[in-house]
Amino acid sequence: MAASCDDGVIASQLGYEHAYGSADSSGRYRALDGVSVDDATLTLGAAVRLVPKSVQLGAALPLRLGHRRIRSIGSATALGVGDASLALRWTALGAGSGIFAPGGLFPSIDLIAGLAVPTGRPPEDSTEPTQADVTSDGSLKPSLGVKLTFQVTPLDSVYLRAQHTLRLPRDVKIGISTRRVDLGDETSVQLGYMRSLSMQWSAGALLDARFTGSARTDGVQATDADERRVRAGAWLSWMWHWPTWDSTLAVLADPFWSGVEKNIEYAGLSTTLSIRRVFH
């Protein structure tokens, strides 16, 4: 999304994720044995401010190259489009003077409405035994969220973002029968810190948690199938052509010990490199 002083932005992000473990239904962590999972994703996106300028519209589309090697099945590599997404963001309360100034009492408030469209390949349409070609869960996903940003000092800010995503039920053909599948809604919370190091450099850290309800098939809820994923990371941003071009390198990792995550099939380390062109 575009910052408060920007009219719009176009961006590309190249990401790589490598899985090194999993967490079962009891929260026990296990290293992957005989399984190799790697994903490279190129995401293209853009955002533009509307009228009034406190409202902006953004869109993104990922392209994913997935590799799976499972000792008992084999290996495969597949390229495919992921789920397209739209987001509408309204700055309901921005930074200003007085109590809204750095060190004031109130944060800036952004309200966010989103929609992810299942343009990717769902699991039931996979043609690979390893499911390396799966790029979507197949659900239409509307979401609502809020972001609170506290400007603690002129150089330091802390933000809290919460979002709830509905994964709408859908019909899935299994063999000769059709089942009504509900994968469970998602709630995510992210806490982040940003420090402005100079006119060109900034850095930050974040903690990201996602909670997913248990899936239902034909109204019957799966037992102990809810998910919990907690990741921590850091990022560094460089505005190498001030004030129009910047790049951000980020690293995000799952914990490699038991008791933190639950029902996570592939946990690992992800890195992203983003490049943006900002319009003023």
Side-chain angles (χ1 to χ4, degrees):
M1 287 293 186
S4 58
C5 58
D6 303 330
D7 293 328
V9 62
I10 56 174
S12 63
Q13 182 184 83
L14 182 62
Y16 171 73
E17 185 166 359
H18 173 71
Y20 46 65
S22 65
D24 62 17
S25 60
S26 63
R28 182 169 53 181
Y29 171 83
R30 292 178 177 174
L32 293 181
D33 182 21
V35 177
S36 177
V37 177
D38 297 275
D39 291 309
T41 305
L42 174 65
T43 303
L44 304 177
V48 61
R49 288 198 173 272
L50 307 176
V51 179
K53 292 193 70 174
S54 58
V55 178
Q56 59 176 301
L57 178 66
L61 180 67
L63 181 66
R64 201 203 74 181
L65 178 67
H67 174 75
R68 301 287 185 272
R69 181 178 59 80
I70 302 176
R71 183 166 50 196
S72 59
I73 298 176
S75 64
T77 302
L79 178 68
V81 174
D83 288 348
S85 61
L86 294 170
L88 189 66
R89 181 169 177 168
W90 173 44
T91 303
L93 185 63
S97 58
I99 59 174
F100 304 113
L105 299 177
F106 294 97
S108 62
I109 302 175
D110 292 296
L111 303 178
I112 306 163
L115 179 66
V117 182
T119 51
R121 183 187 292 264
E124 68 271 17
D125 291 342
S126 175
T127 60
E128 296 286 351
T130 63
Q131 294 206 322
D133 57 345
V134 174
T135 59
S136 170
D137 62 19
S139 301
L140 184 68
K141 298 183 284 290
S143 62
L144 289 175
V146 60
K147 181 180 180 182
L148 309 178
T149 304
F150 296 84
Q151 194 71 37
V152 183
T153 74
L155 300 179
D156 302 275
S157 63
V158 176
Y159 73 85
L160 175 66
R161 176 171 176 161
Q163 178 174 295
H164 186 74
T165 301
L166 300 175
R167 295 203 288 182
L168 300 184
R170 63 190 184 94
D171 293 327
V172 177
K173 190 172 183 179
I174 303 175
I176 61 174
S177 62
T178 300
R179 300 292 182 88
R180 189 68 169 173
V181 175
D182 181 351
L183 295 177
D185 297 343
E186 293 181 351
T187 299
S188 61
V189 180
Q190 188 176 94
L191 177 65
Y193 164 75
M194 186 188 80
R195 170 76 174 184
S196 179
L197 304 175
S198 68
M199 289 289 291
Q200 292 180 293
W201 292 90
S202 59
L206 61 91
L207 182 66
D208 184 90
R210 187 197 69 200
F211 307 91
T212 305
S214 295
R216 294 176 180 268
T217 302
D218 292 336
V220 179
Q221 182 173 304
T223 303
D224 203 22
D226 57 303
E227 297 178 8
R228 179 178 66 248
R229 189 173 194 181
V230 181
R231 296 186 292 174
W235 56 268
L236 179 67
S237 185
W238 174 36
M239 183 167 285
W240 44 273
H241 192 283
W242 192 87
T244 55
W245 288 92
D246 64 51
S247 299
T248 300
L249 179 65
V251 179
L252 201 62
D254 293 272
F256 50 89
W257 56 87
S258 299
V260 181
E261 300 189 322
K262 178 183 180 181
N263 282 327
I264 301 302
E265 184 177 14
Y266 299 128
L269 179 72
S270 63
T271 60
T272 59
L273 176 63
S274 305
I275 299 177
R276 302 192 315 154
R277 169 61 162 95
V278 179
F279 299 91
H280 301 278

